[in-house]
Amino acid sequence: MSTSADGPRPLPTAESAREAIETESIATPRRGPFRGLRGRWNELSRPMQWAWMLPVVAIAYALPYLDFFPISTSDAGTSWSIALFSMAVYALVAVGLNVVVGYAGLLDLGYVAFFAVGQYTAAIFTSPDSPYLKIPYLWTLPAAMVIAMIFGVTLGVPTLRLRGDYLAIVTLGFGEIVRILATIIPAMKGQVGFQNVGRPPGETANGVPIFATSNGGPWYWLTLTVLIIVLLLVGNLERSRVGRAFIAIREDEDAAETMGVPTFKYKVWAFAIGASVGGLSGALMAGQIGFVNNQKFDVQTSILFLAAVVLGGTGNKVGAILGGAIVAYIPLRFTWIADFKYLIFGIILVILMIYRPQGLIPAKMRLMAYSRKAIEWIAPPKPPKAEPPRTPKPRTEGGAS
């Protein structure tokens, strides 16, 4: 026999929802080493958060001049500015993959294919080894985004009806298909590749190109500027209706579809947006290296991109930046472990999944950052009611009170 009362239960009102959130926030304190800092940050207004971010951005732009022990990679044989550029590119890749994996909850094991599309786009349109149309290098950045987006839609339309492991296998196969096509199609030149890929214009007073392959500082500043712009766009996406649809699909796709969310359309959008960022990062990498062939687009690289997102914190764009920077920095700083980087990152991920499965910087558990303020606006907290003054009871004739 059921102990609950028969009949339908009333829907919660805005006031009861506000009380539930307050009770939950008091009963379940935030976990993590930065819970106090995170709470104070969330309490700041948006202008104050921007004011605190300006010094961080200034330090990021000044990093090429902070070439000293123990953070420098110069002692390990890699230029510090080149290492910073690699960290920025990996961070940009992780931000794009985070849209697919972190926001929409779609496991993509072939993200390196979009990275390859971006590199080949820059090489085909700028390298003298290519017989096709030549355009300025900076024009290849939006071209790489558009072409990679087309590839993302082409992959997503026939495959995004699948879920889970089946989708992961299909995306893994897509990454291998792109690598094999780059090997067997004569126009892609296989292992020979394209040399002298274009670069942005500009020369110093001595006639040396500003964006030379050996000068990582300008490349780092260009990539950092692109990364900041992408972060602003992704942040607006996260707070938009599309971002809320992504999160609803990630949490429960069936429930989202039942509530009227066109899940297939938004999943294709997630693939297209993530692919465009991957193509952009590939074009930047091709310009700095100046050489593109089919040797860097294997499964291991794609898994390394996914490890950056999981390590930093799935669903958090700041965590994706941190994860991408760590994945790129560690093999360059400690060259003696470069040959074992996949083993080491695998062990790190296993330990992370045991002790901190949400990543280094976890995503917010609330669907919207302003949900608490919205509930307070709908049902503002009521002031405590004043108790009426007590009046003494009259005595009876028997003397009893």
Side-chain angles (χ1 to χ4, degrees), residues 50-346:
W50 280 102
W52 279 103
M53 285 300 297
L54 290 178
V56 177
V57 174
I59 294 173
Y61 274 99
L63 280 178
Y65 301 104
L66 305 180
D67 187 4
F68 55 84
F69 182 83
I71 63 173
S72 175
T73 58
S74 300
D75 297 337
T78 302
S79 172
W80 173 236
S81 59
I82 297 295
L84 288 174
F85 168 75
S86 299
M87 294 165 61
V89 168
Y90 269 72
L92 185 61
V93 170
V95 170
L97 183 56
N98 187 54
V99 175
V100 181
V101 178
Y103 291 166
L106 306 173
L107 185 56
D108 187 357
L109 298 182
Y111 193 75
V112 71
F114 308 122
F115 189 71
V117 169
Q119 289 205 19
Y120 274 105
T121 301
I124 288 174
F125 287 125
T126 60
S127 174
D129 298 334
S130 172
Y132 302 103
L133 175 68
K134 301 297 187 298
I135 61 176
Y137 171 78
L138 293 179
W139 285 99
T140 64
L141 300 183
M145 296 180 66
V146 173
I147 295 175
M149 184 180 294
I150 293 174
F151 271 81
V153 174
T154 304
L155 171 65
V157 169
T159 61
L160 284 178
R161 307 276 183 191
L162 303 174
R163 300 184 187 180
D165 300 338
Y166 301 100
L167 178 61
I169 294 173
V170 170
T171 55
L172 180 64
F174 177 73
E176 283 295 289
I177 288 172
V178 170
R179 185 183 64 84
I180 293 173
L181 289 177
T183 303
I184 63 177
I185 295 179
M188 300 290 102
K189 295 184 177 298
Q191 295 184 4
V192 177
F194 299 90
Q195 298 181 1
N196 299 322
V197 178
R199 62 172 69 94
E203 294 181 353
T204 62
N206 299 327
V208 179
I210 296 177
F211 288 87
T213 56
S214 59
N215 187 11
W219 285 105
Y220 167 70
W221 289 319
L222 173 62
T223 308
L224 181 61
T225 303
V226 172
L227 177 61
I228 292 174
I229 295 173
V230 171
L231 282 177
L232 294 177
L233 296 177
V234 170
N236 291 331
L237 173 69
E238 184 181 3
R239 292 184 292 270
S240 67
R241 183 179 64 179
V242 178
R244 295 195 298 270
F246 286 165
I247 297 176
I249 294 171
R250 180 192 67 190
E251 297 300 327
D252 194 327
E253 184 175 347
D254 293 329
E257 192 168 4
T258 302
M259 296 303 295
V261 177
T263 57
F264 178 75
K265 182 184 76 172
Y266 283 115
K267 288 195 293 184
V268 173
W269 267 110
F271 251 69
I273 295 172
S276 65
V277 179
L280 174 62
S281 57
L284 290 169
M285 179 65 80
Q288 191 279 323
I289 297 176
F291 175 73
V292 175
N293 67 355
N294 63 348
Q295 296 299 304
K296 296 296 183 181
F297 310 126
D298 49 9
V299 178
Q300 291 86 346
T301 305
S302 188
I303 298 300
L304 205 61
F305 292 160
L306 182 62
V309 176
V310 176
L311 176 65
T314 306
N316 192 316
K317 55 184 180 295
V318 179
I321 294 175
L322 178 62
I326 291 175
V327 166
Y329 173 76
I330 290 180
L332 296 176
R333 178 63 182 86
F334 307 101
T335 54
W336 55 274
I337 67 171
D339 296 335
F340 308 98
K341 60 182 178 181
Y342 299 109
L343 173 63
I344 292 173
F345 282 123

Side-chain angles (χ1 to χ4, degrees), residues 13-35:
T13 61
E15 182 178 358
S16 61
R18 178 178 58 80
E19 294 176 354
I21 289 180
E22 292 176 354
T23 304
E24 181 182 358
S25 62
I26 296 174
T28 58
R30 294 179 180 271
R31 298 180 179 180
F34 304 106
R35 56 183 180 272

